[in-house]
Amino acid sequence: MPEIFNIPTLQDYLKNYRSRDEVCLNDFFGKNSDIESYSGQTLVSEISGVKTYTNSFWTAKQRQASSIHEISYRACFKPQLPRFFIEMLTDEGDIVYDPFTGRGTTVIEAALLKRNIISNDINPLSKILCKPRLNPPLYDEIKNRLEIIEKEREELSSFSLSMFYHPKTESEIVSLKNYLEKKRANGKEDNTDQWIRMTATNRLTGHSPGFFSVYTLPPNQAVSKESQIKINEKKGQSPEYRDTTALILKKSRQLLKDITAAKINTLKSAGEKAIYLTEDAAKTKSIPSDSVSLTVTSPPFLNIVQYASDNWLRCWFNSLDAKEIGKNITMEGTTFGWCSAMEKVFYELFRITKPFGWVAFEVGEVRNKSVFLDEHVIPLGKSAGFECAAVLINEQNFTKTSNIWGISNKKRGTNTNRVVIFQKKS
């Protein structure tokens, strides 16, 4: 289908798309039930002269997403989003790219679907979180390596992070940090070490006993030391001992629970050919022109998410300079500034996209729905040379039915993504 998929074909597909939610609802209530509020039909409208299609094109339960995705990362989309576009617009072997990779949702989903991948993110933490899952070790390999690390563990007494960790837990974290740093410095850090680094990085802070830290803000949104002290005082808590080895193994088991030998081979096949970049998304000279079949991405949204400050503790663990990283990340405070930065990205995307290739640019809804970035993105893509094919609004929009479940429409019952779809015609 992608070989002959053009804009009219795409528009017709979206217009006549039969939501899987409709199928589920009809199966549950009966085909002749009175579900007046939700028919599963696509709502067609227009934004800035571009056709807009609203439906439940994907939901969290549409497909069971792979367990390998379960790495917490702020402001990431669900795996079902890139899968929808990858399946619709590419064939096996095509190149799928994400210029703002984050935790790696797009590239990992593309790898699972046997596409070739290019990953880019100016934040080096992205590669740390992404690459190991494209070359996953076996559980027993992780377990054996952790046993070796335990035997070599240093007994340390550093309490600079005592507001987050029990002294013994902190000693284990610092010892693991030192071990991984030595392996990397000696050029001996293999895929099992990288997996352990990724998993430990993901477990540093959180709000349950599954993390190394005492209760803090949601996963991997590390507050400052001063703020954590206040949280501890308010909750009357002090850090309890957390067994870092046991928690790394537990998380590894969760990540690998549905990764069969066949899936490991599929991921490794993509990982061996993968390109990992840490470049400005507007300056990716190492990507050949006219090479990418599909880009699926979600860029930083204005200055809503403070990526660098949220990741200071992750950067410390991985011996990275959070302040220097923060200087390079696009965090524009105004719509005008954001558009200026994204305009350069679109020109670069046009260069690397092959003729009749696609870009799916997810922009969500920001500032409590007072700013709709899709309206700003459309002219940016057109200016770069793309033809805007559609704006796709994925929305779980139940009214009468949702009331049965006690969910109010456009509140907890609504999960919205706004994706602007472009095609390069020549």
Side-chain angles (χ1 to χ4, degrees):
M1 181 171 66
E3 291 295 326
I4 59 172
F5 221 53
N6 53 31
I7 289 176
T9 307
L10 171 69
Q11 292 174 339
D12 188 61
Y13 178 79
L14 296 175
K15 178 181 178 181
N16 296 294
Y17 185 83
R18 186 174 180 231
S19 167
R20 287 170 174 80
D21 286 327
E22 178 192 13
V23 177
C24 294
L25 290 172
N26 284 334
D27 288 346
F28 188 79
F29 291 103
K31 291 184 179 180
N32 297 319
S33 62
D34 182 22
I35 309 177
E36 298 174 350
S37 62
Y38 188 75
S39 65
Q41 296 177 347
T42 300
L43 174 65
V44 182
S45 56
E46 196 170 286
I47 294 177
S48 302
V50 177
K51 293 289 186 183
T52 300
Y53 302 88
T54 303
N55 204 333
S56 291
F57 296 101
W58 61 84
T59 69
K61 294 183 179 179
Q62 179 177 316
R63 301 178 183 87
Q64 181 63 50
S66 172
S67 61
I68 202 75
H69 283 294
E70 295 173 10
I71 288 290
S72 301
Y73 196 85
R74 193 174 178 190
C76 56
F77 47 53
K78 298 180 186 301
Q80 289 87 345
L81 187 156
R83 176 176 281 262
F84 180 85
F85 294 102
I86 293 165
E87 288 184 327
M88 181 171 61
L89 300 174
T90 67
D91 289 312
E92 289 187 13
D94 284 346
I95 295 176
V96 175
Y97 171 55
D98 189 344
F100 304 102
T101 293
R103 71 169 183 173
T105 306
T106 290
V107 295
I108 288 171
E109 196 66 17
L112 288 167
L113 293 169
K114 300 182 179 180
R115 274 63 170 174
N116 292 318
I117 61 171
I118 302 176
S119 168
N120 179 64
D121 199 302
I122 198 125
N123 186 347
L125 281 172
S126 176
K127 183 178 178 180
I128 289 171
L129 296 176
C130 179
K131 186 179 179 181
R133 286 177 288 152
L134 289 164
N135 193 18
L138 298 174
Y139 178 81
D140 284 346
E141 292 175 326
I142 302 166
K143 186 173 183 292
N144 292 339
R145 182 62 54 83
L146 286 170
E147 288 175 355
I148 293 172
I149 292 172
E150 277 193 313
K151 290 178 182 178
E152 298 178 1
R153 182 178 288 163
E154 306 168 76
E155 292 298 327
L156 304 169
S157 56
S158 171
F159 304 107
S160 63
L161 298 173
S162 61
M163 65 292 297
F164 291 99
Y165 307 114
H166 183 279
K168 186 178 178 182
T169 303
E170 182 177 349
S171 176
E172 292 178 10
I173 293 170
V174 174
S175 179
L176 178 59
K177 176 182 185 296
N178 292 342
Y179 165 85
L180 293 171
E181 197 166 332
K182 289 176 184 176
K183 290 291 291 286
R184 185 163 59 184
N186 295 331
K188 295 182 179 180
E189 186 181 49
D190 60 16
N191 65 309
T192 303
D193 292 322
Q194 290 172 359
W195 179 277
I196 291 169
R197 176 186 292 281
M198 171 199 72
T199 311
T201 298
N202 182 249
R203 297 290 91 188
L204 285 174
T205 58
H207 55 285
S208 76
F211 293 89
F212 298 163
S213 72
V214 70
Y215 180 97
T216 185
L217 289 177
N220 309 307
Q221 184 185 336
V223 298
S224 66
K225 295 179 181 180
E226 294 76 18
S227 295
Q228 187 59 42
I229 290 171
K230 292 179 181 178
I231 291 173
N232 293 347
E233 291 173 350
K234 183 176 180 179
K235 294 183 69 67
Q237 64 181 13
S238 58
E240 299 177 352
Y241 172 65
R242 303 281 169 82
D243 186 332
T244 57
T245 296
L247 291 178
I248 290 171
L249 285 173
K250 179 181 178 181
K251 184 60 182 177
S252 296
R253 193 181 301 112
Q254 292 172 348
L255 289 166
L256 296 170
K257 67 182 177 183
D258 65 6
I259 302 301
T260 62
K263 286 184 179 179
I264 286 178
N265 290 334
T266 297
L267 288 167
K268 286 187 175 182
S269 177
E272 288 170 359
K273 295 177 284 185
I275 298 173
Y276 304 97
L277 305 175
T278 52
E279 299 176 359
D280 182 338
K283 300 175 183 177
T284 53
K285 293 181 179 180
S286 55
I287 303 178
S289 299
D290 302 328
S291 61
V292 174
S293 296
L294 170 67
T295 294
V296 184
T297 194
S298 182
F301 294 160
L302 301 175
N303 59 353
I304 292 173
V305 178
Q306 300 297 327
Y307 291 94
S309 60
D310 287 349
N311 285 313
W312 73 268
L313 195 51
R314 287 173 153 190
C315 287
W316 164 80
F317 181 76
N318 291 286
S319 302
L320 298 171
D321 190 328
K323 290 183 179 179
E324 284 301 312
I325 292 170
K327 291 177 183 178
N328 296 320
I329 295 176
T330 301
M331 295 305 301
E332 295 291 344
T334 65
T335 304
F336 176 81
W338 186 87
C339 288
S340 296
M342 290 304 110
E343 182 179 28
K344 298 173 185 176
V345 173
F346 269 105
Y347 274 93
E348 183 69 347
L349 289 177
F350 187 82
R351 180 187 70 80
I352 67 175
T353 302
K354 72 178 187 179
F356 304 103
W358 302 85
V359 172
F361 209 78
E362 197 270 341
V363 290
E365 295 172 350
V366 298
R367 290 184 175 167
N368 198 27
K369 298 188 178 183
S370 65
V371 176
F372 294 92
L373 289 176
D374 48 329
E375 298 176 9
H376 299 277
V377 163
I378 291 170
L380 296 179
K382 287 182 176 180
S383 175
F386 288 104
E387 184 169 339
C388 190
V391 175
L392 183 152
I393 301 177
N394 183 71
E395 188 172 75
Q396 298 175 51
N397 190 14
F398 305 134
T399 50
K400 181 176 179 179
T401 306
S402 65
N403 289 332
I404 297 173
W405 296 321
I407 299 175
S408 298
N409 182 42
K410 298 202 179 294
K411 293 182 182 177
R412 289 186 297 119
T414 300
N415 177 19
T416 302
N417 301 98
R418 305 175 77 89
V419 185
V420 188
I421 309 170
F422 297 98
Q423 187 178 39
K424 179 177 177 177
K425 299 304 291 289
S426 62

